[in-house]
Amino acid sequence: EVKLVESGAEVKKPGESLKISCKASGYSFTNYWIGWVRQTPGKGLEWVGIIYPGDPETRYSPSFQGQVTISVDNSITTAYLQWSSLKASDTAMYYCVRPFLPDVIYAFDVWGQGTMVTVSS
Amino acid sequence: DVVMTQSPDSLAVSLGERATINCKSSQSILYMSNNKKYLSWYQQKPGQPPKLLIYWASIRESGVPDRFSGSGSGTDFTLTISSLQAEDVAVYYCQQYYHTPLTFGGGTKVEIK
């Protein structure tokens, strides 16, 4: 079974750093892009960015470029999303996602359960 | 960025009746070389991640009931639920994957009348 299992909910203060994770299983990790989608009540679903573990090549939405870093550890088939200095506006649910075909950035047929990140003083 | 505009924001439909959701892209997402429309639809129920329903604008994902269908041209797309069931109450999103950044519509909430 193909699965993406994300790390648990986080509560942080503005200015703090954070790294959340997504453990992939059930498929060839290095053959599929793996990415992140943000969901907020106000802005709906937003694509954050994506990484190809086989390279690794990374692409970011311009809205998130420079604000977050996406990385992978192929030895443990895990993707990460990290912030160096959180803002209150980073408060959201973050989903780990995988496209429905290998080697391309297409629609997402596999979603993690989501990691809720709350940033508040 | 390709802007995806969904309408309506919400709709209430009687059980067994048809529900129609529209999605318009700000530019064509039809790739001429393979004649594929890079458009997908998702269903999201409360407390769950989105679920892929349709890709290539009209291909149902495995296990999706055939009451769900997708259609459309290069910029105008439709998701139709032919006979609404109680379990179809959800928010539906369209997404284009022709260009990065991938972009989503704002969502349409479907309720029972």
Tab-separated table of all heavy atoms in Angstrom, chain A residues 37 39 44-47 50 59-63 95 100-101 105-109 111-114, chain B residues 1 34 38 40 42 44 48-52 55-56 61 93 95 97 100-106:
chain	number	residue	atom	x	y	z
A	37	VAL	N	1.534	20.811	0.052
A	37	VAL	CA	0.402	21.684	-0.229
A	37	VAL	C	-0.060	22.287	1.095
A	37	VAL	O	-0.188	21.563	2.092
A	37	VAL	CB	-0.752	20.906	-0.893
A	37	VAL	CG1	-2.013	21.763	-0.979
A	37	VAL	CG2	-0.340	20.437	-2.294
A	39	GLN	N	-2.954	24.402	3.306
A	39	GLN	CA	-4.382	24.714	3.346
A	39	GLN	C	-4.690	25.623	4.509
A	39	GLN	O	-4.382	25.302	5.663
A	39	GLN	CB	-5.250	23.453	3.425
A	39	GLN	CG	-6.749	23.767	3.325
A	39	GLN	CD	-7.579	22.540	3.095
A	39	GLN	OE1	-7.297	21.443	3.575
A	39	GLN	NE2	-8.644	22.697	2.317
A	44	GLY	N	-7.475	28.726	0.980
A	44	GLY	CA	-7.729	27.440	0.356
A	44	GLY	C	-6.470	26.611	0.207
A	44	GLY	O	-5.590	26.628	1.073
A	45	LEU	N	-6.381	25.897	-0.930
A	45	LEU	CA	-5.232	25.024	-1.185
A	45	LEU	C	-4.177	25.775	-1.990
A	45	LEU	O	-4.486	26.390	-3.010
A	45	LEU	CB	-5.680	23.784	-1.964
A	45	LEU	CG	-6.631	22.828	-1.234
A	45	LEU	CD1	-7.201	21.809	-2.214
A	45	LEU	CD2	-5.914	22.126	-0.089
A	46	GLU	N	-2.930	25.713	-1.524
A	46	GLU	CA	-1.814	26.356	-2.225
A	46	GLU	C	-0.665	25.362	-2.355
A	46	GLU	O	-0.281	24.719	-1.376
A	46	GLU	CB	-1.312	27.557	-1.432
A	46	GLU	CG	-2.317	28.669	-1.222
A	46	GLU	CD	-1.760	29.700	-0.269
A	46	GLU	OE1	-1.845	29.464	0.956
A	46	GLU	OE2	-1.217	30.730	-0.727
A	47	TRP	N	-0.120	25.283	-3.546
A	47	TRP	CA	1.040	24.420	-3.788
A	47	TRP	C	2.293	25.130	-3.289
A	47	TRP	O	2.588	26.237	-3.725
A	47	TRP	CB	1.121	24.125	-5.277
A	47	TRP	CG	2.242	23.254	-5.692
A	47	TRP	CD1	2.347	21.909	-5.489
A	47	TRP	CD2	3.404	23.633	-6.429
A	47	TRP	NE1	3.513	21.444	-6.050
A	47	TRP	CE2	4.177	22.483	-6.637
A	47	TRP	CE3	3.876	24.849	-6.941
A	47	TRP	CZ2	5.382	22.491	-7.322
A	47	TRP	CZ3	5.076	24.878	-7.628
A	47	TRP	CH2	5.814	23.697	-7.803
A	50	ILE	N	7.969	21.239	-4.538
A	50	ILE	CA	8.110	19.804	-4.801
A	50	ILE	C	9.570	19.469	-5.048
A	50	ILE	O	10.344	20.337	-5.493
A	50	ILE	CB	7.194	19.416	-5.985
A	50	ILE	CG1	6.876	17.935	-6.002
A	50	ILE	CG2	7.785	19.899	-7.325
A	50	ILE	CD1	5.661	17.584	-6.856
A	59	ARG	N	11.559	22.496	-6.865
A	59	ARG	CA	10.856	23.650	-7.425
A	59	ARG	C	9.930	24.212	-6.362
A	59	ARG	O	9.263	23.458	-5.651
A	59	ARG	CB	10.057	23.252	-8.664
A	59	ARG	CG	10.929	22.698	-9.772
A	59	ARG	CD	10.149	22.536	-11.063
A	59	ARG	NE	10.874	21.702	-12.003
A	59	ARG	CZ	10.385	21.294	-13.170
A	59	ARG	NH1	9.171	21.656	-13.537
A	59	ARG	NH2	11.114	20.546	-13.966
A	60	TYR	N	9.859	25.525	-6.302
A	60	TYR	CA	9.009	26.202	-5.320
A	60	TYR	C	8.009	27.104	-6.026
A	60	TYR	O	8.294	27.679	-7.081
A	60	TYR	CB	9.854	27.065	-4.379
A	60	TYR	CG	10.807	26.287	-3.504
A	60	TYR	CD1	12.134	26.083	-3.893
A	60	TYR	CD2	10.391	25.776	-2.278
A	60	TYR	CE1	13.020	25.378	-3.087
A	60	TYR	CE2	11.276	25.079	-1.462
A	60	TYR	CZ	12.580	24.877	-1.874
A	60	TYR	OH	13.451	24.188	-1.071
A	61	SER	N	6.852	27.254	-5.403
A	61	SER	CA	5.953	28.312	-5.822
A	61	SER	C	6.630	29.645	-5.504
A	61	SER	O	7.265	29.785	-4.449
A	61	SER	CB	4.641	28.216	-5.054
A	61	SER	OG	3.899	29.401	-5.194
A	62	PRO	N	6.492	30.650	-6.382
A	62	PRO	CA	7.065	31.966	-6.071
A	62	PRO	C	6.581	32.517	-4.723
A	62	PRO	O	7.326	33.247	-4.064
A	62	PRO	CB	6.567	32.839	-7.230
A	62	PRO	CG	6.372	31.878	-8.362
A	62	PRO	CD	5.891	30.606	-7.727
A	63	SER	N	5.382	32.142	-4.321
A	63	SER	CA	4.837	32.631	-3.048
A	63	SER	C	5.599	32.079	-1.852
A	63	SER	O	5.542	32.662	-0.761
A	63	SER	CB	3.366	32.254	-2.927
A	63	SER	OG	2.607	32.821	-3.967
A	95	TYR	N	0.010	19.456	3.828
A	95	TYR	CA	-0.130	18.092	3.324
A	95	TYR	C	1.082	17.719	2.468
A	95	TYR	O	1.516	18.501	1.613
A	95	TYR	CB	-1.377	17.953	2.457
A	95	TYR	CG	-2.692	18.077	3.197
A	95	TYR	CD1	-3.447	19.231	3.112
A	95	TYR	CD2	-3.184	17.023	3.964
A	95	TYR	CE1	-4.669	19.342	3.765
A	95	TYR	CE2	-4.398	17.127	4.628
A	95	TYR	CZ	-5.130	18.289	4.523
A	95	TYR	OH	-6.335	18.399	5.179
A	100	PHE	N	0.432	11.263	-9.523
A	100	PHE	CA	-0.102	9.945	-9.863
A	100	PHE	C	0.739	9.177	-10.863
A	100	PHE	O	0.463	8.009	-11.135
A	100	PHE	CB	-1.561	10.058	-10.340
A	100	PHE	CG	-1.759	10.698	-11.697
A	100	PHE	CD1	-1.863	9.930	-12.842
A	100	PHE	CD2	-1.892	12.077	-11.823
A	100	PHE	CE1	-2.077	10.510	-14.089
A	100	PHE	CE2	-2.102	12.676	-13.053
A	100	PHE	CZ	-2.201	11.894	-14.185
A	101	LEU	N	1.769	9.828	-11.463
A	101	LEU	CA	2.684	9.152	-12.366
A	101	LEU	C	4.125	9.437	-11.942
A	101	LEU	O	4.403	10.504	-11.375
A	101	LEU	CB	2.476	9.629	-13.811
A	101	LEU	CG	1.193	9.178	-14.507
A	101	LEU	CD1	1.091	9.840	-15.878
A	101	LEU	CD2	1.166	7.656	-14.640
A	105	ILE	N	5.490	16.111	-12.691
A	105	ILE	CA	4.740	16.878	-11.688
A	105	ILE	C	3.310	16.998	-12.183
A	105	ILE	O	2.980	17.901	-12.959
A	105	ILE	CB	5.365	18.269	-11.478
A	105	ILE	CG1	6.833	18.136	-11.067
A	105	ILE	CG2	4.582	19.042	-10.427
A	105	ILE	CD1	7.577	19.460	-11.040
A	106	TYR	N	2.469	16.083	-11.754
A	106	TYR	CA	1.087	16.041	-12.201
A	106	TYR	C	0.157	16.135	-10.991
A	106	TYR	O	0.581	16.525	-9.893
A	106	TYR	CB	0.817	14.766	-13.000
A	106	TYR	CG	1.327	14.787	-14.431
A	106	TYR	CD1	1.265	13.626	-15.215
A	106	TYR	CD2	1.876	15.928	-15.004
A	106	TYR	CE1	1.721	13.625	-16.528
A	106	TYR	CE2	2.339	15.926	-16.315
A	106	TYR	CZ	2.260	14.775	-17.072
A	106	TYR	OH	2.710	14.759	-18.366
A	107	ALA	N	-1.108	15.784	-11.193
A	107	ALA	CA	-2.067	15.787	-10.087
A	107	ALA	C	-1.641	14.766	-9.036
A	107	ALA	O	-0.871	13.841	-9.305
A	107	ALA	CB	-3.462	15.447	-10.613
A	108	PHE	N	-2.175	14.943	-7.820
A	108	PHE	CA	-1.719	14.162	-6.674
A	108	PHE	C	-2.740	13.105	-6.286
A	108	PHE	O	-3.853	13.429	-5.870
A	108	PHE	CB	-1.461	15.091	-5.496
A	108	PHE	CG	-0.555	16.240	-5.831
A	108	PHE	CD1	-0.972	17.548	-5.675
A	108	PHE	CD2	0.732	16.015	-6.309
A	108	PHE	CE1	-0.137	18.608	-5.989
A	108	PHE	CE2	1.574	17.067	-6.622
A	108	PHE	CZ	1.137	18.367	-6.469
A	109	ASP	N	-2.314	11.836	-6.387
A	109	ASP	CA	-3.228	10.760	-6.010
A	109	ASP	C	-2.964	10.238	-4.601
A	109	ASP	O	-3.776	9.482	-4.069
A	109	ASP	CB	-3.179	9.605	-7.019
A	109	ASP	CG	-1.856	8.864	-7.022
A	109	ASP	OD1	-0.835	9.480	-6.672
A	109	ASP	OD2	-1.852	7.668	-7.379
A	111	TRP	N	-1.991	11.505	-0.680
A	111	TRP	CA	-1.878	12.626	0.253
A	111	TRP	C	-1.563	12.080	1.637
A	111	TRP	O	-2.111	11.048	2.049
A	111	TRP	CB	-3.194	13.398	0.323
A	111	TRP	CG	-3.548	14.141	-0.941
A	111	TRP	CD1	-3.856	13.586	-2.159
A	111	TRP	CD2	-3.654	15.549	-1.118
A	111	TRP	NE1	-4.135	14.576	-3.074
A	111	TRP	CE2	-4.023	15.797	-2.459
A	111	TRP	CE3	-3.476	16.650	-0.264
A	111	TRP	CZ2	-4.208	17.085	-2.966
A	111	TRP	CZ3	-3.666	17.934	-0.761
A	111	TRP	CH2	-4.030	18.143	-2.100
A	112	GLY	N	-0.724	12.799	2.367
A	112	GLY	CA	-0.553	12.490	3.778
A	112	GLY	C	-1.778	12.935	4.567
A	112	GLY	O	-2.687	13.564	4.017
A	113	GLN	N	-1.765	12.620	5.849
A	113	GLN	CA	-2.919	12.956	6.693
A	113	GLN	C	-2.916	14.427	7.092
A	113	GLN	O	-3.921	14.931	7.600
A	113	GLN	CB	-2.942	12.064	7.947
A	113	GLN	CG	-2.057	12.512	9.095
A	113	GLN	CD	-0.602	12.085	8.966
A	113	GLN	OE1	-0.135	11.719	7.888
A	113	GLN	NE2	0.110	12.148	10.094
A	114	GLY	N	-1.796	15.111	6.863
A	114	GLY	CA	-1.695	16.531	7.185
A	114	GLY	C	-0.984	16.774	8.502
A	114	GLY	O	-1.128	15.993	9.457
B	1	ASP	N	1.212	33.139	-13.110
B	1	ASP	CA	0.553	31.929	-12.619
B	1	ASP	C	-0.792	31.739	-13.334
B	1	ASP	O	-1.439	32.700	-13.726
B	1	ASP	CB	0.286	32.025	-11.111
B	1	ASP	CG	1.540	32.148	-10.277
B	1	ASP	OD1	2.648	32.217	-10.868
B	1	ASP	OD2	1.411	32.179	-9.039
B	34	ASN	N	-0.015	16.288	-27.118
B	34	ASN	CA	-0.618	15.016	-26.715
B	34	ASN	C	-2.143	15.116	-26.547
B	34	ASN	O	-2.791	14.144	-26.169
B	34	ASN	CB	0.015	14.485	-25.418
B	34	ASN	CG	-0.156	15.433	-24.233
B	34	ASN	OD1	-0.926	16.396	-24.305
B	34	ASN	ND2	0.557	15.156	-23.156
B	38	TYR	N	-4.647	19.325	-18.778
B	38	TYR	CA	-3.931	19.106	-17.517
B	38	TYR	C	-4.765	19.644	-16.340
B	38	TYR	O	-4.372	20.591	-15.644
B	38	TYR	CB	-2.549	19.754	-17.582
B	38	TYR	CG	-1.569	18.965	-18.416
B	38	TYR	CD1	-1.852	18.593	-19.737
B	38	TYR	CD2	-0.349	18.563	-17.889
B	38	TYR	CE1	-0.963	17.851	-20.487
B	38	TYR	CE2	0.558	17.821	-18.624
B	38	TYR	CZ	0.241	17.470	-19.932
B	38	TYR	OH	1.134	16.735	-20.672
B	40	SER	N	-7.365	18.500	-12.990
B	40	SER	CA	-7.831	17.464	-12.075
B	40	SER	C	-8.892	18.028	-11.148
B	40	SER	O	-9.015	19.242	-10.967
B	40	SER	CB	-6.666	16.900	-11.267
B	40	SER	OG	-6.023	17.930	-10.535
B	42	TYR	N	-10.675	17.299	-7.180
B	42	TYR	CA	-10.538	16.657	-5.873
B	42	TYR	C	-11.816	16.843	-5.063
B	42	TYR	O	-12.531	17.837	-5.218
B	42	TYR	CB	-9.382	17.285	-5.075
B	42	TYR	CG	-8.031	17.151	-5.713
B	42	TYR	CD1	-7.580	18.075	-6.646
B	42	TYR	CD2	-7.190	16.089	-5.384
B	42	TYR	CE1	-6.337	17.947	-7.226
B	42	TYR	CE2	-5.939	15.961	-5.966
B	42	TYR	CZ	-5.521	16.898	-6.890
B	42	TYR	OH	-4.277	16.770	-7.473
B	44	GLN	N	-12.953	16.936	-0.982
B	44	GLN	CA	-12.457	16.983	0.390
B	44	GLN	C	-13.613	16.984	1.374
B	44	GLN	O	-14.455	17.884	1.350
B	44	GLN	CB	-11.568	18.198	0.635
B	44	GLN	CG	-10.915	18.175	2.024
B	44	GLN	CD	-9.974	19.335	2.268
B	44	GLN	OE1	-10.160	20.430	1.745
B	44	GLN	NE2	-8.940	19.101	3.087
B	48	GLN	N	-10.521	15.480	6.514
B	48	GLN	CA	-9.755	14.571	5.650
B	48	GLN	C	-8.931	15.360	4.639
B	48	GLN	O	-9.294	16.492	4.297
B	48	GLN	CB	-10.700	13.628	4.897
B	48	GLN	CG	-11.505	12.708	5.782
B	48	GLN	CD	-12.393	11.778	4.974
B	48	GLN	OE1	-12.180	11.575	3.774
B	48	GLN	NE2	-13.398	11.200	5.624
B	49	PRO	N	-7.854	14.747	4.128
B	49	PRO	CA	-7.150	15.404	3.021
B	49	PRO	C	-7.980	15.306	1.750
B	49	PRO	O	-8.898	14.484	1.656
B	49	PRO	CB	-5.857	14.584	2.899
B	49	PRO	CG	-6.196	13.256	3.453
B	49	PRO	CD	-7.229	13.487	4.523
B	50	PRO	N	-7.696	16.142	0.779
B	50	PRO	CA	-8.369	16.006	-0.522
B	50	PRO	C	-8.109	14.627	-1.128
B	50	PRO	O	-7.070	14.012	-0.889
B	50	PRO	CB	-7.726	17.113	-1.367
B	50	PRO	CG	-7.284	18.140	-0.368
B	50	PRO	CD	-6.832	17.325	0.813
B	51	LYS	N	-9.084	14.198	-1.933
B	51	LYS	CA	-9.006	12.908	-2.619
B	51	LYS	C	-9.115	13.160	-4.117
B	51	LYS	O	-10.032	13.871	-4.563
B	51	LYS	CB	-10.145	11.998	-2.159
B	51	LYS	CG	-10.275	10.701	-2.936
B	51	LYS	CD	-11.565	9.988	-2.550
B	51	LYS	CE	-11.840	8.792	-3.454
B	51	LYS	NZ	-13.132	8.145	-3.163
B	52	LEU	N	-8.189	12.595	-4.884
B	52	LEU	CA	-8.232	12.760	-6.340
B	52	LEU	C	-9.428	12.009	-6.917
B	52	LEU	O	-9.583	10.800	-6.697
B	52	LEU	CB	-6.943	12.237	-6.955
B	52	LEU	CG	-6.831	12.327	-8.475
B	52	LEU	CD1	-6.840	13.780	-8.958
B	52	LEU	CD2	-5.571	11.605	-8.972
B	55	TYR	N	-8.611	13.065	-13.328
B	55	TYR	CA	-7.415	13.682	-13.914
B	55	TYR	C	-7.570	13.676	-15.434
B	55	TYR	O	-8.484	13.041	-15.977
B	55	TYR	CB	-6.138	12.968	-13.453
B	55	TYR	CG	-6.116	11.482	-13.702
B	55	TYR	CD1	-5.573	10.957	-14.868
B	55	TYR	CD2	-6.629	10.594	-12.754
B	55	TYR	CE1	-5.560	9.592	-15.101
B	55	TYR	CE2	-6.616	9.229	-12.970
B	55	TYR	CZ	-6.087	8.736	-14.145
B	55	TYR	OH	-6.069	7.376	-14.370
B	56	TRP	N	-6.663	14.372	-16.110
B	56	TRP	CA	-6.805	14.596	-17.556
B	56	TRP	C	-8.213	15.082	-17.892
B	56	TRP	O	-8.760	14.752	-18.943
B	56	TRP	CB	-6.463	13.359	-18.379
B	56	TRP	CG	-5.073	12.814	-18.217
B	56	TRP	CD1	-4.728	11.516	-17.988
B	56	TRP	CD2	-3.839	13.549	-18.248
B	56	TRP	NE1	-3.371	11.391	-17.877
B	56	TRP	CE2	-2.793	12.623	-18.037
B	56	TRP	CE3	-3.510	14.902	-18.458
B	56	TRP	CZ2	-1.450	13.001	-18.012
B	56	TRP	CZ3	-2.189	15.268	-18.437
B	56	TRP	CH2	-1.173	14.329	-18.212
B	61	GLU	N	-10.434	8.471	-11.378
B	61	GLU	CA	-9.470	7.689	-10.605
B	61	GLU	C	-10.112	6.349	-10.242
B	61	GLU	O	-11.345	6.241	-10.099
B	61	GLU	CB	-9.078	8.477	-9.346
B	61	GLU	CG	-8.216	7.747	-8.340
B	61	GLU	CD	-6.759	7.584	-8.753
B	61	GLU	OE1	-6.483	7.478	-9.969
B	61	GLU	OE2	-5.898	7.540	-7.862
B	93	TYR	N	-12.529	20.777	-5.460
B	93	TYR	CA	-11.520	21.682	-5.983
B	93	TYR	C	-11.046	21.227	-7.355
B	93	TYR	O	-10.858	20.027	-7.583
B	93	TYR	CB	-10.277	21.718	-5.076
B	93	TYR	CG	-10.504	22.229	-3.685
B	93	TYR	CD1	-10.801	21.355	-2.643
B	93	TYR	CD2	-10.400	23.595	-3.401
B	93	TYR	CE1	-10.996	21.831	-1.353
B	93	TYR	CE2	-10.592	24.066	-2.109
B	93	TYR	CZ	-10.890	23.175	-1.103
B	93	TYR	OH	-11.079	23.647	0.181
B	95	GLN	N	-7.800	21.743	-10.149
B	95	GLN	CA	-6.369	22.055	-10.110
B	95	GLN	C	-5.807	21.919	-11.513
B	95	GLN	O	-6.148	20.978	-12.232
B	95	GLN	CB	-5.630	21.085	-9.180
B	95	GLN	CG	-4.138	21.318	-9.094
B	95	GLN	CD	-3.356	20.040	-8.800
B	95	GLN	OE1	-3.863	18.930	-8.904
B	95	GLN	NE2	-2.106	20.197	-8.427
B	97	TYR	N	-2.305	21.299	-13.720
B	97	TYR	CA	-0.924	20.841	-13.559
B	97	TYR	C	-0.147	21.010	-14.862
B	97	TYR	O	0.834	20.310	-15.120
B	97	TYR	CB	-0.847	19.406	-13.021
B	97	TYR	CG	-1.729	18.375	-13.684
B	97	TYR	CD1	-1.239	17.517	-14.643
B	97	TYR	CD2	-3.057	18.229	-13.288
B	97	TYR	CE1	-2.036	16.542	-15.227
B	97	TYR	CE2	-3.869	17.272	-13.870
B	97	TYR	CZ	-3.353	16.435	-14.835
B	97	TYR	OH	-4.147	15.472	-15.410
B	100	THR	N	3.981	24.973	-13.601
B	100	THR	CA	4.288	25.282	-12.213
B	100	THR	C	4.357	26.802	-12.087
B	100	THR	O	4.837	27.478	-13.008
B	100	THR	CB	5.629	24.670	-11.765
B	100	THR	OG1	6.678	25.120	-12.632
B	100	THR	CG2	5.558	23.145	-11.764
B	101	PRO	N	3.862	27.384	-10.979
B	101	PRO	CA	3.298	26.686	-9.836
B	101	PRO	C	1.939	26.061	-10.137
B	101	PRO	O	1.109	26.678	-10.818
B	101	PRO	CB	3.154	27.792	-8.792
B	101	PRO	CG	2.950	29.031	-9.590
B	101	PRO	CD	3.815	28.866	-10.803
B	102	LEU	N	1.744	24.837	-9.671
B	102	LEU	CA	0.432	24.227	-9.770
B	102	LEU	C	-0.543	25.093	-8.981
B	102	LEU	O	-0.190	25.630	-7.926
B	102	LEU	CB	0.451	22.817	-9.190
B	102	LEU	CG	1.503	21.846	-9.742
B	102	LEU	CD1	1.227	20.436	-9.258
B	102	LEU	CD2	1.574	21.893	-11.249
B	103	THR	N	-1.745	25.250	-9.478
B	103	THR	CA	-2.720	26.125	-8.822
B	103	THR	C	-4.077	25.448	-8.719
B	103	THR	O	-4.456	24.647	-9.577
B	103	THR	CB	-2.858	27.463	-9.568
B	103	THR	OG1	-3.001	27.210	-10.978
B	103	THR	CG2	-1.650	28.356	-9.345
B	104	PHE	N	-4.784	25.801	-7.656
B	104	PHE	CA	-6.092	25.242	-7.343
B	104	PHE	C	-7.166	26.308	-7.475
B	104	PHE	O	-6.905	27.504	-7.281
B	104	PHE	CB	-6.130	24.735	-5.897
B	104	PHE	CG	-5.231	23.566	-5.610
B	104	PHE	CD1	-3.900	23.766	-5.263
B	104	PHE	CD2	-5.717	22.269	-5.651
B	104	PHE	CE1	-3.064	22.695	-4.979
B	104	PHE	CE2	-4.896	21.182	-5.363
B	104	PHE	CZ	-3.567	21.404	-5.033
B	105	GLY	N	-8.385	25.854	-7.760
B	105	GLY	CA	-9.529	26.734	-7.636
B	105	GLY	C	-9.865	26.958	-6.181
B	105	GLY	O	-9.324	26.274	-5.292
B	106	GLY	N	-10.776	27.892	-5.927
B	106	GLY	CA	-11.113	28.267	-4.562
B	106	GLY	C	-12.029	27.291	-3.836
B	106	GLY	O	-12.228	27.414	-2.632
